[in-house]
Amino acid sequence: MTLLASRTPTPALAIETDSAPLLDPAAPTTPAPCPTSTVAKEYVHRVCSAEVFLTGSEQLTDTAFTVTARWPRAHTFFSTPDGTRHDPLQAAETIRQAGLYLAHTRFGIPLDHKFMMWNLDYTTRPHQLLIGAAPTDLTLDVQLLARPRRSGSAVDFTLETVVRRGPQLAATGHTRFTTVPDSTYQRLRQGRHDAEHPSTPLVTAEPLPPARVGRLRPCDVVLTPADAPGSWHLTPDFRHPTLFDHANDHMPGMVLLEAARQAANALSSPATITPAAAATTFHRYAEHDAPTTITARHTPGETPDAVTITVTGHQHGEPIFTTVLTDHPDHH
């Protein structure tokens, strides 16, 4: 479970439980023109405009939407080691942003409500992530699997997303969120909503070398060694401008996804893992003032050429998240 922090909003959808069909990834839609400006950063819970990838949206039906996005040719954090492709985690972040944006602008969720993300799954086509001579414009076809469901003051909704680069399928995604008023969130958190980042590191060991975790810069490394094989401590730099774009009372979901990617690389080193797909379940909040252990192990893949690694995070012996990452080295 993890908290995730323009156009004039349209009237909110009715909160119901009617079912809706999944989008067909094989049926391309006509891409909407992609504006050069991004949506208001507040709608995607970002402080820095450079971290906003969405540029607009259109409502097609009660449960279907088109969202436009743009990726810069170069990003300080979302990049592959060789610099030739967009990072698959950038697709995950864009899918996440689409859920937040639609919640605020189409589903009537107030900006001061808190979001809990239960699942974030993505699958990318690596050859569609190649960086071109211009920024990459994308069209996201987003489908509500059911109209937002209300339970008391909480609203729960699940989205399926198809990401296209021109007419070509670039990625798909699945996300589920629950939103609650701030007062409800404060009761759930039992006062932890005011917690600050630790002033001193919980673990003082040196971080892993960047090359071992598929990174180029030491500041991007979020893991330090632990005693057991296949295990590491989660020790991100709370000053990181992308991972900690804004103040938060727990580890953001994207920090956990990055930890999973780095653990997969540390396990497979010296081979580099760039997970084309990942399926993540968030079990509970990851507190930033408690030690977090990240473990990784190889697991059987769906195809012989697939590298599949399962990564889990634990605090006080309780599971925080589970991610299954898949890489196809021959497809890079």
Side-chain angles (χ1 to χ4, degrees):
M1 184 186 301
T2 181
L3 170 70
L4 302 175
S6 155
R7 296 163 58 112
T8 302
T10 60
L13 293 178
I15 307 297
E16 304 182 86
T17 58
D18 295 345
S19 61
L22 177 65
L23 283 173
D24 178 6
T29 58
T30 301
C34 188
T36 56
S37 60
T38 59
V39 303
K41 58 184 182 294
E42 291 80 7
Y43 287 146
V44 296
H45 302 186
R46 285 288 175 252
V47 170
C48 178
S49 297
E51 304 303 328
V52 179
F53 301 131
L54 307 187
T55 56
S57 72
E58 179 182 358
Q59 183 164 345
L60 306 178
T61 70
D62 281 352
T63 57
F65 310 84
T66 295
V67 178
T68 53
R70 169 170 287 184
W71 291 343
R73 293 186 64 210
H75 189 277
T76 57
F77 181 74
F78 291 115
S79 60
T80 55
D82 63 6
T84 63
R85 286 179 169 84
H86 296 291
D87 187 346
L89 283 188
Q90 192 167 11
E93 169 61 13
T94 304
I95 291 166
R96 185 193 74 86
Q97 288 188 16
L100 304 179
Y101 179 71
L102 291 175
H104 290 309
T105 64
R106 307 294 180 175
F107 308 161
I109 304 300
L111 284 172
D112 63 349
H113 279 214
K114 304 299 185 183
F115 282 64
M116 291 169 278
M117 186 168 64
W118 300 96
N119 300 94
L120 177 53
D121 303 346
Y122 73 86
T123 300
T124 62
R125 293 191 172 182
H127 59 283
Q128 290 300 329
L129 302 186
L130 285 169
I131 296 173
T136 300
D137 289 334
L138 302 163
T139 302
L140 285 69
D141 299 327
V142 186
Q143 179 80 60
L144 270 167
L145 293 192
R147 293 183 182 180
R149 187 185 307 269
R150 184 180 296 279
S151 176
S153 60
V155 177
D156 189 274
F157 62 96
T158 301
L159 301 172
E160 292 281 357
T161 303
V162 175
V163 182
R164 301 186 191 281
R165 184 175 184 173
Q168 301 299 319
L169 176 65
T172 59
H174 173 95
T175 49
R176 179 188 160 215
F177 298 93
T178 298
T179 73
V180 296
D182 183 63
S183 57
T184 302
Y185 178 76
Q186 292 183 20
R187 289 196 300 271
L188 289 172
R189 297 291 282 145
Q190 298 179 342
R192 296 195 64 91
H193 60 282
D194 287 330
E196 297 181 352
H197 295 158
S199 57
T200 58
L202 296 176
V203 177
T204 57
E206 285 293 319
L208 294 175
R212 189 179 171 193
V213 295
R215 280 293 178 184
L216 298 177
R217 306 186 308 171
C219 65
D220 292 334
V221 178
V222 301
L223 300 180
T224 54
D227 295 334
S231 295
W232 301 271
H233 297 295
L234 178 62
T235 54
D237 184 348
F238 293 113
R239 299 166 299 177
H240 195 285
T242 299
L243 293 176
F244 296 93
D245 167 80
H246 60 281
N248 214 330
D249 68 350
H250 58 271
M251 293 288 186
M254 292 306 298
V255 173
L256 304 182
L257 289 181
E258 177 61 24
R261 184 247 294 278
Q262 292 190 17
N265 274 276
L267 183 70
S268 303
S269 183
T272 298
I273 300 295
T274 303
T280 302
T281 299
F282 300 100
H283 306 296
R284 53 179 49 81
Y285 291 106
E287 309 297 351
H288 53 52
D289 57 354
T292 304
T293 301
I294 306 294
T295 60
R297 59 186 175 87
H298 288 284
T299 48
E302 295 182 358
T303 59
D305 68 330
V307 176
T308 303
I309 297 173
T310 298
V311 181
T312 57
H314 287 80
Q315 284 186 338
H316 304 303
E318 297 290 335
I320 300 298
F321 75 98
T322 303
T323 300
V324 179
L325 306 99
T326 303
D327 187 23
H328 297 271
D330 294 340
H331 296 177
H332 290 177

